[in-house]
Amino acid sequence: MRILQENSMLKSACTPHHAPLVIELEISGKLMAIATLRPNHILTPVSSGYISTRPPSLFNLGTTIANAIQKFVNLSKIALCPATFHEELFIQSLGVLPNIPNLRELAVNTSCTGERTCPLLMRIEGLRRLTLDSPGRIILDALPAWLDDLNIDEEQQLRTPNTIPKLTHLKYFAANYNPVYDKREVIALCRWVKWVISSSPIEHVCLLRDDQGPDATHIPFDNLIEHLAMKHASTLRIVDFREAYVSAEAAKSLLERCHSLEEVYVAARKRVLDVFQEHARHLPRLCTAGFNIRNAKMKRALVDDDLATRMIMEGPPSLRMLAVNGAAWEVGNMGV
């Protein structure tokens, strides 16, 4: 087993010549990587291996990372999501992050949300995007007050949470979930999302399944769609359920009530295309619609150019792109 430690490439990135060029630092899984202003903002691995779980007194990686962050004065994005770690690994780093003036995006996992690290985390200001991987009760209890201080209105993302916060300024919500094989699991997930967004002026909701294969179970997320249509119709702009199955009836409710929709993506039976043709034409802002057809044989799930053209031409005037099962039609490329 190789233990991740300071190496020559990280030392090089910390030199007075290179340090001002570093704009991104990522420590996730067993990889440490950086991105610089050149070339092309590409994340470059600087070291890989397992992070030791030994106390800092026996392992100086925490000090090394904190010292590097202090030198990366133009750092705008940082991810602290290692697969293995000691609970004190990032205490020094979290202490210096409030002094990084350009920091706008932050992603952390449980390495930064414990009893000692959470208070340090909440001192960070100026963020525009926050991602919490597997947040526990400590950070979720503190999250509403922190978000009020941050005044985040662009994006906030949670992965596999266990508790329920109330977020009154949230406009973007994304949840990663494991594949579901039981209706009770879907109901529980929908209930949790509803609680999270119930007090929010939500504009964009995205459900992301951790595995990328097609969902063979087809358990509908109708309960959540109905909630969005009933409670958030006035603010909702983007619904991304391209991996989460919904019924045609739920899709109809969404299209009928949410008049501010700009983008909609759902996985559903092919009848959803008929529902779209009938109920989407009154949506004045809808520019993109995407459908992943489920519960149909491959040939029946196909959409030909004639049907796609008719759906766009008979749809709202604002509609510019239609996608079905990976095939896409755009107005500019169709001569419509």
Side-chain angles (χ1 to χ4, degrees), residues 76-98:
S76 63
K77 180 178 181 179
I78 185 167
L80 303 177
C81 303
T84 59
F85 54 88
H86 186 274
E87 61 182 6
E88 298 181 4
L89 174 64
F90 293 125
I91 283 182
Q92 296 178 72
S93 297
L94 293 173
V96 301
L97 282 180

Side-chain angles (χ1 to χ4, degrees), residues 15-48:
T15 62
H17 176 72
H18 293 111
L21 301 177
V22 176
I23 59 171
E24 184 174 344
L25 173 65
E26 178 181 333
I27 301 172
S28 59
K30 58 179 181 178
L31 174 71
M32 183 189 300
I34 64 172
T36 65
L37 290 171
R38 60 176 186 265
N40 300 324
H41 296 238
I42 296 175
L43 269 174
T44 304
V46 297
S47 191
S48 62

Side-chain angles (χ1 to χ4, degrees), residues 195-213:
W195 270 95
V196 172
I197 67 175
S198 61
S199 302
S200 306
I202 201 71
E203 296 181 359
H204 184 164
V205 178
C206 180
L207 293 187
L208 305 169
R209 200 173 67 249
D210 279 343
D211 80 322
Q212 297 301 310

